[in-house]
Amino acid sequence: MTGRSIDDILADARARLSRVTPSEVPADAVLVDIRPAAQRAAEGEIPGALIVERNVLEWRFDPRSDARLPIADRFDLPVVVFCSEGYTSSLAAAALQDLGLHLATDLTGGFKAWKRAGLPVSN
């Protein structure tokens, strides 16, 4: 067989991250929801989270990109990415680190862990 398994790729991504639980999210962090619209509609949302679907994440957060968001103007932006359960977000946060956003990480357990922790959600 050639290539690497997704489990290996995920483990490598997570080895580079300082993942946070819902209660550990820094107050100054930018929470970024990368779930597709259908998942957000079905599960709910975290109030105040920035919605940036996964397929455009790197372009929106690279400070060098013409397509970046106004907030993404520096490499030390504390970004916490989340998805539904915390798998895709690990890969996404590692991709942001590859761009130079060294504080990027993800939310352990994703949106579902946030909701289980009793933190604010909206529908």
Side-chain angles (χ1 to χ4, degrees):
M1 294 188 143
T2 61
R4 298 169 54 215
S5 73
I6 189 58
D7 291 333
D8 290 339
I9 293 169
L10 181 62
D12 286 349
R14 287 181 171 169
R16 298 191 281 150
L17 302 173
S18 295
R19 302 181 78 208
V20 295
T21 65
S23 64
E24 298 170 330
V25 173
D28 64 341
V30 178
L31 273 171
V32 180
D33 188 343
I34 61 168
R35 297 173 298 153
Q39 260 187 333
R40 292 191 312 272
E43 296 174 352
E45 297 182 12
I46 296 175
L50 189 59
I51 296 169
V52 181
E53 289 194 15
R54 177 65 190 97
N55 64 323
V56 296
L57 183 71
E58 291 87 345
W59 286 270
R60 300 300 183 256
F61 279 93
D62 184 347
R64 299 160 291 214
S65 172
D66 291 338
R68 74 172 174 80
L69 295 169
I71 196 170
D73 60 352
R74 63 188 204 272
F75 291 100
D76 63 347
L77 187 67
V79 176
V80 177
V81 181
F82 69 93
C83 60
S84 184
E85 295 183 359
Y87 293 94
T88 302
S89 59
S90 294
L91 301 177
L96 291 180
Q97 284 193 356
D98 288 343
L99 290 173
L101 282 88
H102 60 276
L103 298 178
T105 192
D106 78 320
L107 185 63
T108 303
F111 176 82
K112 290 181 178 180
W114 180 277
K115 190 172 182 176
R116 277 193 308 274
L119 294 168
V121 297
S122 62
N123 290 331

